[in-house]
Amino acid sequence: MRQQTEMEDLLRKPAKKLQGISEVPEPIRANQQRIYSQLGQATQPTSTQPRWKTKRYVVAGAAAAVMVIGLGILGSGFVSPVMAEKLSRLPAIGSIFERSGDPGLQAASRLNMAGGGHLEDTHEGVTIRAQEVVYDGVRLSIGLSREGKKFEGSFQGLQLDEYGQPKRNADGAVIWNPEDTLGQGRIVKVLIDGSPLNPSEGERDSFKRAMSYVTASGKDPDSMLLSFVNNTYADNGITLPDTFTMTLVMEVTGIEESFHIDIPVQKDASRNVELASEITKIHDHLSVTVKRIAVTPVTTRIQLAVSHSGEIPERYMDQDGQLLVEHEFYDDQGQPLVWVGPDQGWIEDTAKTDDYHRVTDYLYGPLQDETRTIVVKSFYYKQDAPRKEQAKEHAGQDDFLKVYIPELELTVPVR
Amino acid sequence: MNMEVLVNQARAGDSESFVQLFESMELDMYKMARSILHQDQDCRDVMQETTLKAYRSISTLRRPEYFKTWVFRILINECHELLRRQKRRMEADHNSLDEKMSASFVLAEEYEMVELYEALDTLDVSLRLSVTLYYFHGMSVKEIASTLGVSQTAVKSRLYRARKQLAETLYSDIEGKVNYETTN
């Protein structure tokens, strides 16, 4: 028993030593500070983040049309009580929406508005799950995850570093999974109540009316965000119903069978504000109109129409004759709105006349409660910049290459 | 600012709140790591990994009031993994065993402390962790169970086995049985 007491006493001695430690050694303190500073850089999304845009050119008869699609960090709206009842709480894996970095998404998460679910399909031990679904009347966002095997690369395709940011090569370009990467997902079909999402190709204006979807990587390799945005820029553009079941058909590289996931969706637009504006400014024969604005708790959609009849200065056009003028959006405190995207639109640009008409929906995060107006600024990149793409690469030197057109600045009330 | 408020802000993506939380815990984290690991550079590495892992997964924390326990669980796991890796390397390379034994022990100035630490090193990592938390940090069986994510019965069993093995190692020249019971 003496031994027992001796050993107990011995075992308790280090506790006294530990109590005597009053500070963290400097090298460890310094290392922690270095880590903390990297955390701040890794996660704060800003409006100067590059927009990854894909342009698709289609020539249909006499009209050349361009659909501009942006890829980025996608956010969410909120989930209706009906959806919340249908969906159950997430298991321990964590919220894809919470971690996406989108301010609207984080707001919804703080308010416990983004529901979780077990809408899933499994093949060969791999489960694809629709974890979170939100639809605010402007966009439908779905958080998807994969699990069950040791996968290579990322689910969505963009390769990520340890902070969940896209990896970049020496030129600053993002890096995608190599071909045939095991576990990469791909949407192959989308049905709404059993019918295809978009009109068939033979239908009139099918391409113009179609609704596109975009994917974005989650903050980890096993998650991704899928977003559908209502087409409000085209006449009879495809918009989602108020209540429906979406069937997603996905293929995963390395798994033979495709995955089918049925997702019940109900729109909740109870707190939305829709404003028709038609405020216009004209300068140098170029006209910019804010046609309408939609304000929801997590999305701000601003629709702009830009037109001219061929008499605009050459500096507003690139060498292909395409309009170079773009737009930025600020609140009444001068703060840039946080881009969530995707931006999409349509250009009517016939070869018969010089008339040009472009309608674009721009998607941004939620407004602050106190915001009363939005300011729309127009600018173009200097034509003598080597190439427009190079101008955009120098994002930190924006002011050097951007030329604003103050005569086209618009201030629009939003409340 | 109230810790729960900071935790909620950190969960929502506020990195400044996250940093504030971690800065307030650095000393406790260092003491915990130091009680398990022998060298400051190992402590630096596990604290770094813990910080990054906690940052990446804080949104999974369901109960903000368990934030500290949750962080310490990550930290202890990191110590656990590092010890395992070191043990595997030591087993593969006998030369490194000597280096390990000659490392300076801030906490083991007296000879008997050196003996204790050498005896602790012979324990399985899970037993060593239980002993460290119970004796070095004064945690109760219930607190240890919560931190390690195991049952209280498992903790008691580990403490019993650890004490038995330590006694055999430290007092192996003395005959007689050793009999230990936990008291809480």
Side-chain angles (χ1 to χ4, degrees), chain A residues 53 86 164 192 216 229 244 289:
Chain A
K53 287 193 177 179
K86 286 182 180 174
I192 306 295
V229 182
F244 59 95
T289 303

Side-chain angles (χ1 to χ4, degrees), chain B residues 148-166:
Chain B
L148 297 182
V150 300
S151 68
Q152 293 187 40
T153 309
V155 174
K156 288 182 188 177
S157 166
R158 288 177 191 184
L159 285 171
Y160 173 80
R161 280 159 40 215
R163 283 187 281 232
K164 190 158 180 281
Q165 261 185 256
L166 283 172

Side-chain angles (χ1 to χ4, degrees), chain A residues 106 110, chain B residues 1-18 20-21 58 64:
Chain A
Q106 289 169 344
R110 267 200 298 276
Chain B
M1 188 183 286
N2 177 266
M3 189 190 229
E4 206 164 309
V5 170
L6 282 175
V7 173
N8 281 326
Q9 285 174 181
R11 283 170 73 214
D14 182 354
S15 52
E16 277 187 34
S17 296
F18 180 89
Q20 218 175 313
L21 284 165
I58 189 165

Side-chain angles (χ1 to χ4, degrees), chain A residues 365-379:
Chain A
L367 300 178
Q368 303 289 333
D369 287 343
E370 55 273 16
T371 299
R372 292 287 170 266
T373 59
I374 289 178
V375 175
V376 182
K377 296 190 181 184
S378 301
F379 67 92

Side-chain angles (χ1 to χ4, degrees), chain A residues 93-124:
Chain A
I93 175 174
S95 164
I96 297 169
F97 284 167
E98 281 181 15
R99 290 178 284 124
S100 74
D102 180 279
L105 180 71
Q106 289 169 344
S109 180
R110 267 200 298 276
L111 298 167
N112 279 325
M113 283 175 166
H118 295 282
L119 310 164
E120 61 187 50
D121 195 11
T122 301
H123 297 290
E124 298 178 43

